[in-house]
Amino acid sequence: MLHKTQTMTRKAYTSDITDAQWQLIEALIPPAKTGGHPRTVNLREVVNGIFYVLRTGCAWEMLPHDLPPYSTVYFYFRRWQKTGVWQQMNHYLRQKVRQQVNRDPQPSAAIADSQSVKTTEKRGRCTASMEVS
C-alpha cells in the first residue's frame, strides 16, 4: 500500500494512521501560529513519525528518511506534550469509544492501583559519609 504525502509517495509503515483515524484527530491539532514563516510540514506525516518512534522504540535520530526530519517530529511531539494536546486527544478519543459501545462519554468511576516500594534505610535526601584514617 502506498501512502501519499505532500511531496512524495512512500510505502506505508504499520504504525501509520489510517484516513479514518486522521479525520478523528486532525481537528484537535493546534493551527499554525499567525505571522512569521507559514507552516510547511505535513502534520499527518509528523504524527506518523511520532507513532513510528513509539511503536518501534527506536531513537528519534533513527527515524526513517522518508518521514519528516527527526528534529521536526520531536519538536511537535514535545510541544504537544507541553501544551496538553495529547491529553485532549486521549480524552476526546476515550469519549468516542465509550459512545460507540453505548456508554456514558464520561466515566463515573476510576480505579487507582498503588504499589509499595521498599525505600532505603538512610534518612534525608542527601547522605554523606567521611572516613578518617
Side-chain angles (χ1 to χ4, degrees):
M1 172 183 185
L2 294 178
H3 182 81
K4 188 159 175 93
T5 65
Q6 283 180 338
T7 58
M8 66 179 175
T9 302
R10 67 169 175 81
K11 187 172 180 177
Y13 294 104
T14 56
S15 56
D16 285 353
I17 61 174
T18 65
D19 291 339
Q21 292 168 332
W22 178 244
Q23 285 179 344
L24 281 173
I25 67 167
E26 183 178 19
L28 302 173
I29 294 177
K33 293 182 178 180
T34 57
H37 192 343
R39 182 185 284 164
T40 57
V41 68
N42 179 341
L43 291 182
R44 181 173 178 171
E45 285 297 281
V46 168
V47 170
N48 285 334
I50 291 168
F51 287 173
Y52 182 91
V53 169
L54 296 176
R55 178 85 183 265
T56 64
C58 75
W60 292 101
E61 296 85 2
M62 300 296 291
L63 199 61
H65 295 293
D66 54 354
L67 289 167
Y70 78 87
S71 56
T72 301
V73 174
Y74 183 72
F75 169 81
Y76 280 99
F77 173 76
R78 287 292 290 150
R79 174 182 275 180
W80 296 341
Q81 187 177 47
K82 289 178 181 179
T83 59
V85 172
W86 294 121
Q87 286 181 319
Q88 292 169 358
M89 282 186 197
N90 185 50
H91 179 73
Y92 174 76
L93 294 172
R94 181 182 58 244
Q95 286 182 328
K96 286 288 202 187
V97 168
R98 290 180 63 83
Q99 288 171 338
Q100 283 181 342
V101 294
N102 296 320
R103 303 208 40 199
D104 186 343
Q106 297 297 325
S108 58
I111 297 174
D113 187 15
S114 65
Q115 179 180 353
S116 296
V117 178
K118 187 173 182 177
T119 60
T120 179
E121 299 294 325
K122 295 181 180 180
R123 297 184 184 179
R125 291 181 67 189
C126 189
T127 303
S129 62
M130 291 176 50
E131 206 173 300
V132 180
S133 316

